[in-house]
Structures are given as structure tokens and as C-alpha cells.
Amino acid sequence: MTRITDITLRRVLDSRGNTTVEADVSTTSGGFGRAAAPSGASTGEHEAIELDAAEAIERAEEKAIPDLESEVDAENQRAVDAALREADGTTNFSEIGANSAVAISMAAAKAGADSIGIPLYHHLGGTFRGNTTPTPLGNVIGGGAHAAEATNIQEFLSVPVGAPSVEEAVLANARVHAHIKELLQAEGIPTNKGDEGAWAPPIDDAKAFDIVDDATTTVADELGFEIGFGLDMAASELHENGEYVYDDDVKSTAEQIDYVEEMVHEYGLKYVEDPLDENAFGEWAELTDRVREETLICGDDLFVTNTSRLQEGIEKGSANSILIKPNQIGTLTDAIDAIERGAENDIESVISHRSGETEDTTIAHVAVGTDAPFIKTGTVGGERTAKLNELLRIEGQA
Ligand SMILES: O=C(O)[C@@H](CO)OP(=O)(O)O
Ligand SMILES: [Mg+2]
């Protein structure tokens, strides 16, 4: 019923105007799925390999598609993803490209769900999950690798933990984003935007902390529920020769740990992603020990959605949260295996977009299907609202 009959790949544009891979998958029962691969800018050194889109398509057409068409059932996600890995033959999809692999993996999942006649989140999570929606982390001020001449910290995130619904949470983040524009304009500060639609003003991190604190507090008072905030420090991008290099300061590892702990206490941060370098498992553990009761310390570049790296982090106590990005590892099976391993070890999952995105909505379904407590997929911009609005549709079906 769900045997794959045809896989078609094409180049499409992502939100940065770069080409990426889109896959169409059809099945014998007429099921259909379409998905496109996102693309990162502040990529982890341990991520699966993204090839030039045209190259990835050519190689996947030659090496992977013949092993899938008429050979595998779209509803059997593990079999689809095992065939992709088998065809690639490397540990990091460097042969066919993680971009072609993840596009095919996600499109096959959609075709499987369509063939069976259930929503993707239900196909991915099963009948006993998928009854909750994640809290969205909304990127409202950005810099780092996402915007030049802006903050050193890559992302300041609105975290509406008190919102009674995902609809209220999404609207709250949009309100915080709009209020920040008003605060910046009131001071005559330019309101440029970064890759993910967050404001990217020419201000330092200290100013950004104060503006985001002001905006989240004001909007929380307006709406009547708690709105905290968090960070993606993407500290590997700041890490040079064992130090963390800011525009106005250079911090040793010990000073970086103290700094993050101080910010968690001063601003009541709900979430801190990548506060230290992507190889510093031990130092991460020291920070996590200090603040784990107050905040989530989340591994993005540290874990790169890789269960083996997550296992090392579990054994060392490096973090209490993992960022999940299917294109970092190459298949939905690997991404969901990482979520499960995390859940077995009290590691909270945050399902995430990439800075280069399309209108694809798969990650919204992954978040709901796995009961993930959080999703990080921006605040405004078509490639971000595509996921946020899909969450609103799913919540409406509940
Ligand atoms: O660092 C991150 O968490 C992601 C998403 O915000 O950015 P990028 O896709 O550039 O890695
Ligand atoms: Mg990150």
C-alpha cells in the first residue's frame, strides 16, 4: 500500500536565496509527500555534510533512489532511512549529502502518513503521543553568524512559558518582537533584521539583554502570563585558542562559565544554548551543575542531533537539553532516536529550524509527535510562520 513508486528531487530556494534540495515521494496507494532540506550558517563541526544542492541531487539519484523505488515502504521510516544510510556508505552522508538524505527522509514520512490517512505528527509519534504542543522559543534579537555588526550572542529568544496555548505563545512572541522594534526606534537605533527574522541592531550584548528584558516584561504584563527569555550563544563561533572572544572582551573558559551563570541569575534565563565550545563536554558539565535547577542548558553544536555524542554528554552530565535538527544528522530516524535517548535520561528536546529555511513544516510535526516541550523556529518571516501556523492548525485539531 505504501511501497514507494517514485522519488523526484529538485533544487529550490531557501530563505537566504541559496539552493537546497526538495524531494517528492509517491506510493502505490497514491500517497504523496514533499519536503525540503534547511541549511545552517553557524554549523557544528560534527554535523552531517551538506553538499552543493545540484551535486547532492545527482549523487542521490544515482546511488540512493534506485534502492528506494519499488524496494521500500514509505510507512516504514526505519527502512527508508536505513536504505539512505546504506546507499551513502559513510558516517556523515558525505557521499549523497545530508541535504538530499533529509529531504527524502522527511518526504517519505509525509507520503507514508498520507497513504495511511493520518496527520504526520500522528504517524511519527503514534496514537499515545501528540496530544501536547511545544512552547515556541521566538528569536527576537540576533547577531553572531546570522547578522553582521550586531550582537556577539547569536540569538535572544522570547520564551512564553506561561502561555495557556501555543496560539497565545506564538502571538506573545510576535508581540515581543514588535515591541522591541518600538524600543529600538524610540532610541533611533536602526531596525535591520538577521537571517531568522530577528532584529539585528548595531548594539552590544549588554544593551540587548536590557531591551529583551524590558520587552518580555512589558508584554507579559499586558497579556497576563509569564514570558521569560533565553539565549543561543553559539559559543563555538566565539571560541578561539581556548578563549571566548567578544567585541569588547576576551573571556577564559572559567570567566565564560561565571558570565553565563551570572546572566542566568540576573535575568532568570529559561534557556541557554551552546554556552561553551562544541568539544568542551567537561566544562559544560561544570556550568550545568551550577544552573541545572534554574534553566535548560542545551547542546546544539555540542550534540549535533547525534545519539553517540548525546550519550557522551549524558555520561559526563554536560547538559539537560538537546537541540534536534534533522538535517544535522541526515534522517528522521536518527533525529527521533536522539529524542528518545534524551527522554530516557531527563534531557529535554528542543526541535529546531535552521537559519536557512523553506516553507517546509516537518519540524512542527516532529515536535508534536514526540511531545517535545519546546520548538525553536523563529518569530516572523514566511519560512518561520509556516511552522508556527502549522502548530496552530495542529492545536486546533486536538
Ligand atoms: O544555531 C542554531 O541553533 C541554528 C538555528 O537558530 O542556526 P544555524 O541554522 O545557523 O546553525
Ligand atoms: Mg544553535
Coordinates of all heavy atoms in Angstrom, one line a residue, residues 7-59:
I7 N 10.5 8.8 -6.6 CA 11.1 9.9 -5.9 C 11.7 10.9 -6.9 O 12.5 10.5 -7.8 CB 12.3 9.4 -5.0 CG1 11.7 8.4 -3.9 CG2 12.9 10.5 -4.3 CD1 12.8 7.7 -3.1
T8 N 11.3 12.1 -6.7 CA 11.8 13.2 -7.6 C 12.5 14.2 -6.8 O 11.9 14.7 -5.8 CB 10.6 13.8 -8.4 OG1 10.0 12.8 -9.2 CG2 11.1 14.9 -9.4
L9 N 13.7 14.6 -7.2 CA 14.4 15.7 -6.5 C 14.5 16.9 -7.4 O 14.6 16.8 -8.6 CB 15.8 15.1 -6.1 CG 15.9 13.9 -5.3 CD1 17.3 13.5 -5.0 CD2 15.1 14.0 -4.0
R10 N 14.5 18.0 -6.7 CA 14.7 19.3 -7.5 C 15.4 20.3 -6.6 O 15.4 20.2 -5.4 CB 13.4 19.8 -8.0 CG 12.5 20.4 -6.9 CD 11.2 20.9 -7.4 NE 10.4 19.8 -8.0 CZ 9.6 19.0 -7.3 NH1 9.5 19.1 -6.0 NH2 8.8 18.1 -8.0
R11 N 16.0 21.3 -7.2 CA 16.6 22.4 -6.5 C 15.5 23.5 -6.2 O 14.7 23.8 -7.2 CB 17.7 23.1 -7.3 CG 19.0 22.2 -7.3 CD 20.2 23.1 -7.8 NE 19.9 23.7 -9.1 CZ 20.7 24.7 -9.6 NH1 21.8 25.1 -8.9 NH2 20.4 25.2 -10.8
V12 N 15.4 24.0 -5.0 CA 14.5 25.1 -4.7 C 15.3 26.1 -3.9 O 16.5 25.9 -3.5 CB 13.3 24.6 -3.9 CG1 12.4 23.7 -4.7 CG2 13.7 24.0 -2.5
L13 N 14.7 27.3 -3.7 CA 15.4 28.4 -3.0 C 15.1 28.3 -1.5 O 14.0 27.9 -1.1 CB 15.0 29.7 -3.5 CG 15.6 30.3 -4.8 CD1 15.1 31.7 -5.0 CD2 17.2 30.3 -4.7
D14 N 16.1 28.6 -0.7 CA 15.8 28.7 0.8 C 15.8 30.2 1.1 O 15.9 31.1 0.2 CB 16.9 28.0 1.6 CG 18.2 28.7 1.7 OD1 18.4 29.8 1.2 OD2 19.2 28.0 2.2
S15 N 15.6 30.5 2.4 CA 15.3 31.9 2.8 C 16.5 32.8 2.7 O 16.3 34.1 2.7 CB 14.8 31.9 4.3 OG 15.8 31.2 5.1
R16 N 17.7 32.3 2.4 CA 18.8 33.1 2.2 C 19.1 33.3 0.7 O 20.0 34.0 0.3 CB 20.1 32.5 2.8 CG 20.2 32.9 4.3 CD 21.6 32.6 4.8 NE 21.7 31.2 5.1 CZ 21.8 30.7 6.3 NH1 21.8 31.5 7.4 NH2 21.9 29.4 6.5
G17 N 18.2 32.7 -0.1 CA 18.4 32.8 -1.6 C 19.4 31.8 -2.1 O 19.8 31.8 -3.3
N18 N 19.7 30.8 -1.3 CA 20.6 29.7 -1.7 C 19.8 28.5 -2.2 O 18.6 28.4 -1.8 CB 21.5 29.2 -0.6 CG 22.4 30.3 -0.1 OD1 22.9 31.2 -0.9 ND2 22.7 30.4 1.2
T19 N 20.4 27.7 -3.0 CA 19.6 26.5 -3.5 C 19.7 25.4 -2.4 O 20.7 25.2 -1.8 CB 20.2 26.0 -4.8 OG1 21.5 25.7 -4.7 CG2 19.9 26.9 -5.9
T20 N 18.6 24.6 -2.3 CA 18.6 23.5 -1.4 C 17.8 22.4 -2.1 O 17.4 22.5 -3.3 CB 18.0 23.8 0.0 OG1 18.2 22.7 0.8 CG2 16.5 24.1 -0.1
V21 N 17.7 21.2 -1.5 CA 17.1 20.0 -2.1 C 15.6 19.9 -1.7 O 15.4 19.9 -0.5 CB 17.9 18.8 -1.8 CG1 17.3 17.5 -2.5 CG2 19.3 18.9 -2.2
E22 N 14.7 19.7 -2.6 CA 13.3 19.3 -2.3 C 13.1 18.0 -2.9 O 13.5 17.6 -4.0 CB 12.4 20.3 -2.9 CG 10.9 20.0 -2.6 CD 10.0 21.2 -3.1 OE1 9.6 21.2 -4.3 OE2 9.6 22.0 -2.3
A23 N 12.4 17.1 -2.1 CA 12.0 15.8 -2.6 C 10.5 15.6 -2.7 O 9.8 16.0 -1.8 CB 12.6 14.8 -1.6
D24 N 10.1 14.9 -3.7 CA 8.7 14.4 -3.8 C 8.7 12.9 -3.8 O 9.5 12.3 -4.4 CB 8.1 14.8 -5.2 CG 7.7 16.3 -5.3 OD1 7.9 17.0 -4.3 OD2 7.3 16.7 -6.4
V25 N 7.9 12.3 -2.9 CA 7.8 10.9 -2.8 C 6.4 10.4 -3.0 O 5.4 11.0 -2.5 CB 8.3 10.4 -1.4 CG1 8.0 8.9 -1.3 CG2 9.8 10.7 -1.2
S26 N 6.2 9.4 -3.9 CA 4.8 8.9 -4.2 C 4.8 7.4 -3.9 O 5.8 6.7 -3.9 CB 4.5 9.1 -5.7 OG 4.5 10.5 -6.0
T27 N 3.6 6.9 -3.5 CA 3.5 5.5 -3.2 C 2.4 4.8 -4.0 O 1.6 5.5 -4.7 CB 3.0 5.3 -1.7 OG1 1.7 5.8 -1.5 CG2 3.9 6.1 -0.8
T28 N 2.3 3.5 -3.9 CA 1.4 2.7 -4.8 C -0.1 3.1 -4.5 O -0.9 3.1 -5.4 CB 1.6 1.2 -4.5 OG1 1.6 1.0 -3.1 CG2 2.8 0.7 -5.1
S29 N -0.3 3.5 -3.3 CA -1.8 3.8 -3.0 C -2.1 5.2 -3.3 O -3.2 5.7 -2.9 CB -2.0 3.6 -1.5 OG -1.2 4.5 -0.7
G30 N -1.1 5.9 -3.9 CA -1.4 7.3 -4.3 C -1.0 8.3 -3.2 O -1.2 9.5 -3.3
G31 N -0.4 7.8 -2.2 CA 0.2 8.7 -1.1 C 1.3 9.6 -1.7 O 2.0 9.2 -2.6
F32 N 1.4 10.8 -1.1 CA 2.4 11.8 -1.6 C 3.0 12.6 -0.5 O 2.2 12.9 0.5 CB 1.7 12.7 -2.6 CG 2.7 13.8 -3.1 CD1 3.6 13.5 -4.1 CD2 2.6 15.1 -2.6 CE1 4.5 14.5 -4.6 CE2 3.5 16.1 -3.0 CZ 4.4 15.8 -4.0
G33 N 4.3 12.8 -0.6 CA 4.9 13.7 0.4 C 6.0 14.6 -0.2 O 6.6 14.1 -1.2
R34 N 6.1 15.8 0.2 CA 7.1 16.7 -0.3 C 7.8 17.4 0.9 O 7.1 17.8 1.8 CB 6.4 17.8 -1.2 CG 7.4 18.9 -1.6 CD 6.7 19.9 -2.6 NE 6.5 19.2 -3.9 CZ 5.6 19.6 -4.8 NH1 4.8 20.7 -4.6 NH2 5.5 19.0 -6.0
A35 N 9.1 17.5 0.8 CA 9.9 18.1 1.9 C 11.1 18.7 1.3 O 11.7 18.2 0.3 CB 10.2 17.1 3.0
A36 N 11.6 19.8 2.0 CA 12.8 20.4 1.6 C 13.8 20.5 2.7 O 13.4 20.7 3.9 CB 12.5 21.8 1.1
A37 N 15.1 20.5 2.4 CA 16.1 20.5 3.4 C 16.5 21.9 3.8 O 16.6 22.8 3.0 CB 17.4 19.8 2.9
P38 N 16.6 22.2 5.1 CA 17.1 23.5 5.6 C 18.6 23.6 5.5 O 19.3 22.6 5.1 CB 16.6 23.5 7.0 CG 16.7 22.1 7.5 CD 16.4 21.3 6.3
S39 N 19.2 24.7 5.9 CA 20.6 24.9 5.8 C 21.1 25.8 6.9 O 20.5 26.8 7.2 CB 21.0 25.5 4.5 OG 22.4 25.7 4.4
G40 N 22.2 25.4 7.6 CA 22.7 26.2 8.7 C 23.8 27.1 8.3 O 24.4 26.9 7.3
A41 N 24.0 28.1 9.2 CA 25.2 29.1 9.0 C 26.2 28.8 10.1 O 27.4 28.7 9.9 CB 24.7 30.5 9.0
S42 N 25.7 28.8 11.3 CA 26.6 28.5 12.5 C 26.6 27.0 12.7 O 26.0 26.5 13.6 CB 26.1 29.3 13.7 OG 25.0 28.7 14.2
T43 N 27.2 26.3 11.7 CA 27.1 24.9 11.8 C 28.2 24.3 12.8 O 29.3 24.8 12.9 CB 27.5 24.3 10.4 OG1 28.7 24.9 9.9 CG2 26.3 24.6 9.4
G44 N 27.8 23.2 13.3 CA 28.7 22.4 14.2 C 29.7 21.6 13.4 O 29.3 21.1 12.3
E45 N 31.0 21.5 13.9 CA 32.0 20.8 13.1 C 31.7 19.3 13.0 O 32.2 18.6 12.1 CB 33.4 21.0 13.7 CG 33.6 20.4 15.1 CD 35.0 20.7 15.6 OE1 35.4 21.8 15.5 OE2 35.7 19.7 16.1
H46 N 30.8 18.8 13.9 CA 30.5 17.4 13.8 C 29.2 17.1 13.0 O 28.7 15.9 13.1 CB 30.4 16.8 15.2 CG 31.6 17.1 16.0 ND1 32.8 16.4 15.8 CD2 31.9 18.0 17.0 CE1 33.7 16.8 16.7 NE2 33.2 17.8 17.4
E47 N 28.6 18.1 12.4 CA 27.4 17.9 11.6 C 27.5 17.0 10.4 O 28.7 16.9 9.9 CB 26.8 19.2 11.1 CG 26.2 20.1 12.2 CD 25.4 21.2 11.7 OE1 24.8 21.1 10.6 OE2 25.3 22.3 12.3
A48 N 26.5 16.3 10.0 CA 26.5 15.6 8.7 C 26.7 16.6 7.6 O 26.5 17.8 7.8 CB 25.1 14.9 8.5
I49 N 27.2 16.2 6.4 CA 27.7 17.0 5.4 C 26.6 17.5 4.4 O 25.9 16.7 3.9 CB 28.9 16.3 4.6 CG1 30.0 15.9 5.6 CG2 29.4 17.2 3.5 CD1 30.6 17.0 6.4
E50 N 26.5 18.8 4.2 CA 25.6 19.4 3.2 C 26.4 19.6 1.9 O 27.5 20.3 2.0 CB 25.1 20.7 3.7 CG 24.2 21.4 2.8 CD 23.8 22.8 3.3 OE1 23.5 22.9 4.6 OE2 23.8 23.8 2.5
L51 N 26.0 19.0 0.8 CA 26.7 19.2 -0.4 C 26.0 20.3 -1.2 O 24.9 20.6 -0.9 CB 26.7 17.9 -1.3 CG 27.4 16.7 -0.7 CD1 27.3 15.5 -1.6 CD2 28.9 17.0 -0.4
D52 N 26.7 20.8 -2.2 CA 26.0 21.7 -3.2 C 24.7 21.0 -3.7 O 24.8 19.8 -4.0 CB 26.9 21.9 -4.4 CG 26.2 22.5 -5.6 OD1 25.9 23.7 -5.5 OD2 25.9 21.8 -6.5
A53 N 23.6 21.7 -3.7 CA 22.3 21.0 -4.0 C 22.3 20.2 -5.3 O 21.8 19.1 -5.3 CB 21.2 22.1 -4.0
A54 N 22.9 20.8 -6.3 CA 22.9 20.1 -7.6 C 23.7 18.8 -7.5 O 23.3 17.7 -8.0 CB 23.5 20.9 -8.7
E55 N 24.8 18.8 -6.8 CA 25.7 17.7 -6.6 C 24.9 16.6 -5.8 O 25.0 15.4 -6.1 CB 27.0 18.1 -5.9 CG 28.0 17.0 -5.7 CD 28.7 16.6 -7.0 OE1 28.6 17.3 -7.9 OE2 29.3 15.5 -7.0
A56 N 24.3 17.1 -4.7 CA 23.6 16.2 -3.8 C 22.5 15.5 -4.6 O 22.3 14.2 -4.4 CB 23.0 17.0 -2.6
I57 N 21.8 16.2 -5.4 CA 20.7 15.6 -6.2 C 21.2 14.5 -7.2 O 20.8 13.4 -7.2 CB 19.9 16.7 -7.0 CG1 19.1 17.5 -6.0 CG2 19.0 16.1 -8.0 CD1 18.5 18.7 -6.6
E58 N 22.3 14.9 -7.9 CA 22.9 14.0 -8.8 C 23.3 12.7 -8.2 O 23.1 11.6 -8.6 CB 24.1 14.6 -9.5 CG 24.7 13.8 -10.7 CD 25.8 14.6 -11.4 OE1 25.8 15.8 -11.4 OE2 26.8 13.9 -11.9
R59 N 24.0 12.8 -7.0 CA 24.5 11.6 -6.3 C 23.4 10.8 -5.7 O 23.4 9.6 -5.8 CB 25.5 12.1 -5.2 CG 26.8 12.7 -5.8 CD 27.8 12.9 -4.7 NE 29.0 13.5 -5.1 CZ 30.1 13.6 -4.3 NH1 30.1 13.1 -3.1 NH2 31.1 14.3 -4.8

